[in-house]
């Protein structure tokens, strides 16, 4: 299983994800602009932004601790690990068993904790505000995500993403009501974790309405570039997990270079549709009052638990 | 356990029904409640149609048509007109807060599933695993009736309960005899009209549809 | 994998270590100038003895059980000792964690007054020795003697600051509940014995109990040991006693002592009673879930650092009980492998918690010693003055939040894997309930992460919240000393080792499980290399913390080098962003209560809150909120009132007049003459 072509495939897959993630963000911004009847920016705008940020001098507060400076790299590392593990183009990759779905949720939790700690580092009220709100959303989003993935795990009998995707891709077309519940819950968690409307507005500039942006207010230049890049990779990873769980057709085996073009094409189509869908949801919904966000996420959590229970009922 | 396509579709619609019951439990706006109720009626009609097609029972087509006419079109329209004339728009307070209600709902769902498990073994229809879901949606609608403060959501809860009963009947025994069904449908229609009349009386008496005011009718 | 055999067999070695601890404690009493022995030698020697004990414990896991009979004790009741895999595991836990804490204590207590230091050294080492004897005990008599000694010595340690009334009442509550628990355990031994006369564990193991007898014994053991472990509803002593004690003692109590209660539970329920029933598992699961949620929700509301850590101990005991409950459930239904997995998950969490909770308490102790601060609302920016402590505390905080690749994540992962075996169960309701308990575990894990972001962020990061503490405090404001750093580093290294080499520990714990219940993990799980953790089958679940950590570290370095290589690493320094409002002070940061406010809002009805809000025209507005434990008013105070009532009625017997007492003796004499003819 640890063959050299397999490892090369896996590393290439992760590089592909890291490089393609800002493109997805650009596509979603374009769709949003079209839906809001504005003229859209270039789809490559996130890349230009990243390049611009890397060129700048970093401006930091005088009291910034080493944790503050380390966090953007740690965030980037965590998201790269997620890109390595999620079956984007192929299942059965050699290092994919290093982390199953629970560890994947753990990676995102690690990133969230480091971001929150860095936010509290400077000592301004905004950092504390961002950290507090992020943890408020996270404490329900993480269990909801875990329960959603558990539903998929119960259906396929394993917590390995490889096995789950293979089981769901290759079995006969069966409609699982529990997966339907899990899908709705997953969508709600995706919106919450990636700081999208209705939980958070990614394009706000009013500090008191921010959740995620408030945590990264103090970052600039290369640190900000790494954090923004990590956010884009996170969105890409979440969407790919959703695609892998709920629409896994077209995915290829590790080391099978022949199936690669089909996998790439299928992924592009699925992500384009998903991105447009996300933009549509963001345009139709309005941002929730902050204390309605726990209710939103509690509904996601309960839906996921309900999906698990329905699985047990319908199966036996 | 490979169930046929129709069985899977009915399972999916049953899950959708349960989802709607939970959504109604957590909704605050009365207008959305009516829409959800209409969707529930549509899901019910669709599942009856599928069962009719899969088993070839002609009278189920008729009851599906009746469901569409009554529960998707007529009753929501009546309720709409009612809340228009009563100026009811929001129902913000419930007796206990919404997350706790949802937790109790989950508990009821588990209870219903556990109760229905042995019965499902005995039934031989194509839809037997949905009995638990139907029972759960009945209990959830009952819960909604208990925790709401205004009168209109309570009526919707009552109607949703009847939806659940109908679905339970379809899933266990291929529907009730047509005569009974027509009788029940008529009862529900008449009941809705009577509720409407009561709403006006309550509002005239207390200037509000909050049921707490009815406690003033006590003897002391 | 047999370690090199030592001169002593493990049981003789462990006994020698226990005696050595007693000797060290007594030696500290030798009146020399300035209590030289106690100050310089006692604690380091104790730490070395702890390391030796850990070695003997490790050895014992791999060897078959051994027994020893001591000529001590009463004439017909000698002390029996026994060491098997389970005892070996707990001895390893005790020795390794105590070594780190004792080395820290060597530095912590260095500046104490001579008399007090000698007493503390004595009580401390007697405490350690009694815990070792509890684990080694093979008959009920030695067990109870050691148990009571443990309770007494820790009581004296808790009330070290006995001049404070709060400490005295905390100690009293602790002793009271400890004794109630001991009473239940004693009754449990009585029930298990069934009237045969011999109280050795061999005899108790062999005694056949019917289902009602077994269930009664289980309930007594569960609540008796649970009182010592700090589970609901007998937890009230934990948040009072742990903060009152000196920090190394809190670490020892929270890290090791409550684990001896878990040892007792596992020993009595799995080994002595045997025949585990699934209904017991359901009860343990339910109480475990309630304990977990209670602990973490109340911890989020605390602003006293040590009290917060004490509530987290309650939460983690709940998590251990969740693992034990699932194990009992599976064993009760006949699934030995899944039951073994649950037991292994619970025991793994036991040692994990010992290590990271010890580390956190030691960090809190350093903060207290160095800056005199205990209230989170007054701290801030300590990372600049105490970088070493901040680093170790961060490791502890990440570990307890169950974040990969540290140790807390491994045991939670194993517990989740156990819950995912639920489809094996035939009972429909149980099959759907087990995932619900997994959901409470997930919720608790997320809440713990939130709590420790709060603790670390408020204590170490940001700016000092109270201006007087911006300057060095009376304690010197310095970082931890050398010995203290060694202690914390030892425990932090333990966090890493337990997190990065889980399959080694899995094999070790599998031996424990096999020796206890006969069931173990499937062979495939044990054959995987040190790199992968596979609890059941590779396609079902696997995890590799080493790869995890190496990828993150590699990418971090790569990103750093690439950015420096392609662009630059220039940085400028200036003021933080103030949104155009220049009058910002450090008081405007979040306090601990502010950070917990969203939770207070969401979970409001669960707390008993007393709030004082200022009115609109208050001259001196004051805002206060007090969170109290409902169990006081629902359980403890009514029982206290009942006890007072009964004793006041019994007190009527005491009149104070001699004639009445003589009358009592006379009546008793007549009664005896009548009835014993």
């Amino acid at each position: 299983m640890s063959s050299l072509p397999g490892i090369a495939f896996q590393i290439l897959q992760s590089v592909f994800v890291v490089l393609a993630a800002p493109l997805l963000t650009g596509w979603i911004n374009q769709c949003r602009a079209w839906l809001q009847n504005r003229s859209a920016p270039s789809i490559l705008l996130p890349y230009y932004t990243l390049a611009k940020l890397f060129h700048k001098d970093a401006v930091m507060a005088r009291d910034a601790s080493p944790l503050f400076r380390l966090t953007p790299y740690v965030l980037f590392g965590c998201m790269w690990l997620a890109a390595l593990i999620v079956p984007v183009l192929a299942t059965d990759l050699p290092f994919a068993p290093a982390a199953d779905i629970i560890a994947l949720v753990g990676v995102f939790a690690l990133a969230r904790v480091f971001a929150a700690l860095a936010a509290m580092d400077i000592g301004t009220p905004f950092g504390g505000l961002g950290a507090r709100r992020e943890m408020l959303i996270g404490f329900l989003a993480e269990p909801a995500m875990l329960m959603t993935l558990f539903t998929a795990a119960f259906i396929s009998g394993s917590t390995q993403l490889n096995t789950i995707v293979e089981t769901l891709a290759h079995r006969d077309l069966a409609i699982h009501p529990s997966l339907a519940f899990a899908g709705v819950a997953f969508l709600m968690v995706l919106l919450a974790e990636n700081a999208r409307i209705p939980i958070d507005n990614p394009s706000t500039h009013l500090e008191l309405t921010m959740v995620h942006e408030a945590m990264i207010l103090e970052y600039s230049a290369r640190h900000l570039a790494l954090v923004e890049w990590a956010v884009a990779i996170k969105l890409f990873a979440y969407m790919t997990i959703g695609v892998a769980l709920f629409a896994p057709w077209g995915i290829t085996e590790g080391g099978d270079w022949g199936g690669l073009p089909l996998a790439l094409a299928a992924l592009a189509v699925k992500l384009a549709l998903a991105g447009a869908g996300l933009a549509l949801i963001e345009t139709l919904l309005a941002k929730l009052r902050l204390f309605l966000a726990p209710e939103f996420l509690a509904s996601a959590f309960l839906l996921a638990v309900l999906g698990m229970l329905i699985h047990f009922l319908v199966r036996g | 356990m490979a169930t046929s396509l129709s069985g899977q579709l009915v399972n999916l619609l049953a899950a959708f029904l349960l989802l709607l019951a939970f959504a109604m439990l957590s909704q605050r706006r009365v207008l959305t409640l009516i829409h959800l109720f209409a969707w529930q009626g549509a899901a019910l009609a669709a599942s009856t149609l599928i069962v009719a097609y899969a088993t070839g029972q002609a009278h189920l087509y008729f009851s599906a048509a009746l469901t569409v006419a009554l529960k998707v079109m007529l009753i929501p329209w009546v309720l709409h007109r009612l809340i228009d004339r009563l100026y009811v728009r929001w129902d913000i307070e419930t007796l206990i807060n919404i997350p706790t209600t949802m937790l109790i709902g989950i508990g009821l769902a588990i209870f219903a599933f556990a109760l229905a498990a042995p019965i499902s073994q005995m039934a031989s229809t194509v839809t037997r695993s949905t009995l638990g879901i139907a029972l759960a949606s009945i209990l959830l609608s009952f819960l909604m009736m208990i925790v709401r403060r205004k009168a209109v959501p309570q009526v919707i809860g009552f109607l949703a309960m009847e939806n659940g009963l109908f679905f339970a009947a379809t899933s266990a025994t291929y529907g009730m005899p047509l005569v009974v069904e027509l009788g029940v449908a008529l009862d529900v229609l008449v009941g809705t009209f009577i509720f409407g009349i009561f709403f006006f009386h309550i509002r005239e008496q207390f200037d509000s549809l909050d049921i707490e005011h009815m406690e003033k009718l006590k003897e002391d | 994998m047999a370690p090199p055999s030592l001169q002593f067999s493990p049981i003789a070695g462990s006994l020698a270590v226990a005696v050595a601890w007693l000797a060290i404690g007594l030696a500290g009493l030798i009146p020399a100038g300035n209590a030289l022995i106690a100050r310089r030698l006692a604690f380091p020697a104790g730490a070395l003895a702890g390391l030796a004990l850990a070695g003997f414990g490790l050895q014992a896991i791999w060897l078959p059980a051994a027994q020893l009979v001591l000529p001590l004790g009463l004439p017909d009741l000698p002390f029996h000792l026994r060491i098997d895999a389970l005892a070996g595991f707990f001895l390893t836990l005790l020795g390794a964690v105590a070594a780190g804490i004792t080395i820290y204590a060597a530095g912590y207590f260095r500046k104490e007054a001579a008399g007090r230091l000698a007493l503390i050294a004595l009580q401390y080492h007697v405490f350690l020795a009694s815990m070792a004897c509890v684990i080694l005990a093979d008959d009920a008599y030695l067990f109870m003697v050691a148990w009571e000694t443990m309770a007494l010595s820790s009581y004296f340690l808790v009330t070290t600051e006995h001049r404070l009334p709060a400490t005295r009442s905390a100690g009293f509550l602790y002793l009271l509940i400890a004794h109630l628990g001991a009473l239940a355990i004693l009754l449990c031994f009585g029930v298990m014995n069934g009237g045969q006369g011999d109280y050795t564990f061999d005899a108790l193991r062999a005694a056949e109990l019917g289902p009602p007898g077994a269930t009664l014994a289980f309930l007594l053991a569960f609540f008796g040991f649970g009182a010592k472990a700090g589970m609901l509803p007998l937890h009230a002593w934990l948040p009072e006693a742990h903060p009152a004690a000196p920090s190394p003692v809190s670490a020892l109590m929270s890290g090791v002592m409550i684990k001896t209660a878990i040892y007792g539970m596992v020993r009595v329920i799995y080994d002595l009673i045997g025949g585990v029933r699934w209904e017991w598992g359901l009860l343990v699961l339910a109480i475990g879930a309630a304990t977990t949620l209670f602990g973490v929700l109340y911890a989020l509301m605390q602003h006293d650092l040590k009290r917060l850590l004490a509530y987290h101990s309650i939460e983690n005991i709940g998590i251990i009980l969740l693992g034990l409950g699932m194990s009992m459930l599976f064993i009760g239904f006949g699934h030995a492998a899944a039951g073994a997995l649950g037991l292994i998950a619970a025991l793994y969490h036991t040692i994990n918690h010992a290590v990271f909770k010890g580390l956190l308490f030691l960090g809190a102790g350093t903060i207290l010693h160095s800056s005199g601060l205990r209230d989170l609302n007054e701290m801030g920016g300590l990372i600049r003055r105490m970088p070493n402590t901040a680093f170790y505390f961060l490791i502890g905080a990440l570990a307890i939040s169950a974040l990969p690749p540290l140790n807390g994540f491994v045991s939670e992962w194993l517990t989740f894997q156990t819950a995912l075996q639920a489809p094996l169960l035939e009972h429909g309701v149980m099959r759907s309930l087990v995932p619900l308990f997994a959901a409470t575990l997930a919720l608790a894990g997320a809440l713990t992460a939130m709590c420790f972001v709060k603790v670390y962020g408020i204590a170490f990061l940001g700016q000092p919240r109270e201006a007087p503490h911006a300057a060095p405090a009376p304690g010197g404001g310095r970082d931890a000393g050398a010995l203290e750093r060694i202690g914390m580093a030892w425990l932090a290294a333990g966090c890493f080792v337990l997190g990065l080499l889980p399959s080694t520990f899995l094999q070790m714990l599998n031996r424990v499980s096999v020796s206890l219940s006969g069931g173990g993990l499937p062979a495939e799980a044990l054959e995987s290399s040190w790199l992968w953790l596979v609890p059941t089958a590779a396609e079902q679940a696997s995890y590799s913390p080493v790869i995890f950590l190496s990828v993150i570290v590699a990418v971090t370095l790569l990103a750093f080098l690439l950015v420096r290589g392609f662009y630059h690493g220039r940085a400028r320094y200036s003021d933080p962003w103030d949104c155009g409002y220049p009058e910002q002070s450090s008081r405007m940061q979040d306090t601990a209560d502010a950070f917990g406010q969203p939770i207070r809002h969401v979970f409001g009805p669960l707390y008993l809150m007393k709030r004082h809000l200022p009115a609109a025209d208050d001259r001196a507005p004051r805002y206060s909120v007090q969170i109290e434990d409902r169990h006081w008013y629902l359980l403890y105070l009514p029982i206290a009132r009942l006890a007072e009532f009964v004793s006041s009625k019994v007190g009527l017997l005491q009149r104070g007049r001699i004639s009445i007492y003589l009358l009592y003796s006379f009546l008793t004499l007549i009664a005896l003459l009548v009835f014993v003819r």
Side-chain angles (χ1 to χ4, degrees), chain A residues 148-162:
Chain A
T148 315
L149 294 171
F150 274 4
T151 311
F154 278 126
I155 293 179
S156 50
S158 148
T159 57
Q160 291 281 47
L161 266 173
N162 279 342

Side-chain angles (χ1 to χ4, degrees), chain C residues 164-521:
Chain C
L164 299 169
T167 312
R168 286 201 300 270
S169 60
F172 172 71
L173 184 62
Y174 168 51
L175 201 60
L176 181 68
I177 298 190
H179 273 293
L180 280 174
L183 194 63
I185 298 173
L186 196 59
L187 285 173
C188 170
F189 283 136
V191 166
M192 280 199 288
N193 174 267
Q196 253 99 4
D198 193 334
Y199 277 89
T200 58
F201 280 1
D202 285 329
L204 294 181
R205 209 171 280 135
E208 290 288 327
L209 297 166
T215 310
L216 180 63
F218 161 75
L219 285 171
L220 283 169
F222 184 54
F223 283 102
F225 286 112
K228 181 62 103 181
M231 82 186 186
L232 239 63
L234 301 158
H235 63 280
W237 60 273
L238 228 160
E240 311 288 335
H242 284 211
S247 302
V249 174
S250 308
L252 209 53
M253 283 172 68
S254 209
V256 190
M257 188 185 74
I258 54 185
K259 308 305 184 298
T260 55
I262 300 291
Y263 164 76
M265 247 191 243
V266 175
R267 171 71 75 194
V268 169
I269 298 175
Y270 279 79
D271 195 11
L272 298 183
I273 301 182
V276 173
R277 305 173 63 83
W278 67 268
E279 295 93 347
W280 302 352
L282 184 60
L283 178 68
V284 173
L285 267 176
I287 292 193
T291 311
T292 309
L293 283 177
F294 174 84
V296 73
L297 285 175
Y298 269 79
L300 274 162
M301 292 296 109
Q302 303 301 319
H303 53 88
D304 178 332
L305 180 56
K306 288 174 80 165
R307 225 179 134 91
L308 184 147
L309 291 174
Y311 273 110
H312 272 294
S313 293
I314 298 180
E315 176 213 350
N316 280 288
I317 288 289
I319 297 180
I320 298 175
L321 287 178
L322 278 175
L324 277 180
M326 282 194 228
S327 163
M328 285 193 234
L329 196 65
F330 282 114
I331 293 181
F333 277 113
H335 302 285
L341 185 59
L343 181 62
I344 290 175
L347 291 177
Y348 208 122
H349 198 76
T350 309
I351 193 169
N352 282 344
H353 181 238
V355 173
F356 55 62
K357 189 44 74 66
L359 178 60
L360 288 170
F361 264 112
L362 296 186
T366 311
I367 296 179
L368 184 58
H369 238 198
S370 145
S371 58
L373 292 171
R374 230 167 88 154
D375 190 341
L376 276 173
N377 289 334
E378 295 168 6
M379 296 187 200
L382 290 173
I383 195 173
R384 282 180 274 285
R385 266 192 278 140
M386 295 195 245
N388 286 301
T389 312
F391 174 67
Y392 294 125
F393 201 95
L394 180 65
I395 295 183
L398 292 176
I400 196 173
S401 309
L403 294 174
L406 290 172
N407 55 350
F409 179 73
V410 176
S411 48
E412 280 209 14
W413 190 84
L414 286 171
T415 316
F416 280 130
Q417 293 298 336
T418 316
L420 285 166
Q421 307 292 321
L424 290 173
L425 294 172
E426 296 89 25
H427 196 290
V429 179
M430 285 300 120
R431 208 172 17 196
S432 353
L433 275 184
V434 168
L436 281 184
F437 288 116
T440 52
L441 180 61
L443 193 60
L447 284 169
T448 309
M450 178 172 187
C451 190
F452 273 92
V453 164
K454 163 183 131 177
V455 169
Y456 198 82
I458 290 183
F460 286 100
L461 304 173
Q463 304 290 331
R465 279 167 179 75
E466 295 286 334
H469 300 297
R478 280 175 282 114
D479 203 350
L483 286 170
E484 290 157 328
R485 254 183 270 177
I486 295 177
M488 287 199 280
W490 170 254
L491 290 174
C495 284
F496 269 108
V497 167
L498 285 164
L500 291 175
L501 297 175
S503 60
T504 321
F505 291 97
L506 195 75
Q507 287 172 5
M508 213 191 297
L509 287 169
N510 189 50
R511 287 197 66 93
V512 173
S513 167
V514 166
S515 86
L516 262 187
S517 63
L521 296 175

Side-chain angles (χ1 to χ4, degrees), chain A residues 1 50-51 53-67 69-70 73-74 76-78 80-81 84-85 94-107 109-114 116-118 120-126 128-129 131-133 135-136 138-140 142-143 146-147 150 153-154 157-160 163 207 217-218 221-223 226 289 291 294 301 305 308-309 311-312 315-316, chain C residues 383-384 394 398 401-405 409 412-413 416-417 419-423 428 431-433 435-436 438-440 442-447 449-454 456-458 460-463 465 532 538-545 547-549 551-552 555-556 558-561 563-564 566-579 584-586 588-590 594-599 601-603:
Chain A
M1 214 168 68
L50 285 178
L53 284 172
F54 274 121
H55 274 295
K56 293 191 166 194
D57 286 0
V59 179
M60 287 189 281
R62 285 190 196 89
D63 290 325
S65 67
L67 185 75
R69 274 184 269 196
L70 184 64
Y73 298 100
V74 170
F76 191 67
C78 289
W80 195 306
L81 179 66
L84 201 64
I85 289 168
F95 287 128
D100 62 345
I101 51 179
I102 306 177
L104 200 60
V105 174
V107 169
L110 183 67
R112 182 180 28 248
V113 165
F114 265 97
L117 285 177
M120 298 187 79
D121 188 53
I122 304 296
T124 60
F126 301 115
L129 181 119
R132 183 184 356 128
R133 289 178 175 181
M135 297 314 284
L136 171 69
F139 97 84
L140 272 176
E142 189 186 315
L146 212 50
M147 288 300 116
F150 274 4
F154 278 126
S158 148
T159 57
Q160 291 281 47
T163 321
E207 286 87 351
L217 266 180
E218 291 297 325
R222 57 181 180 277
H223 300 132
L226 284 172
R289 236 183 76 208
F291 279 117
F301 182 55
V305 171
M308 263 194 326
L309 293 176
H311 168 76
F312 282 121
R315 269 281 295 273
Chain C
I383 195 173
R384 282 180 274 285
L394 180 65
L398 292 176
S401 309
L403 294 174
F409 179 73
E412 280 209 14
W413 190 84
F416 280 130
Q417 293 298 336
L420 285 166
Q421 307 292 321
R431 208 172 17 196
S432 353
L433 275 184
L436 281 184
T440 52
L443 193 60
L447 284 169
M450 178 172 187
C451 190
F452 273 92
V453 164
K454 163 183 131 177
Y456 198 82
I458 290 183
F460 286 100
L461 304 173
Q463 304 290 331
R465 279 167 179 75
W532 301 94
E539 309 82 47
Q540 232 193 6
S542 75
Y543 167 58
S544 173
I547 294 181
F548 206 98
L549 184 63
V551 168
I552 295 185
V555 171
T556 307
L558 185 70
F560 185 77
L561 291 170
V563 168
R564 295 288 156 119
F566 280 112
Y567 297 98
H568 57 83
R570 291 195 297 267
R572 284 188 278 137
Y573 296 93
S574 98
D575 293 325
W577 172 250
D578 56 15
C579 196
Q584 284 193 0
S585 74
S586 65
M588 292 182 186
Q589 292 171 107
D590 271 13
F595 209 93
Q597 184 254 357
I599 299 294
H601 183 97
V602 171
F603 288 102

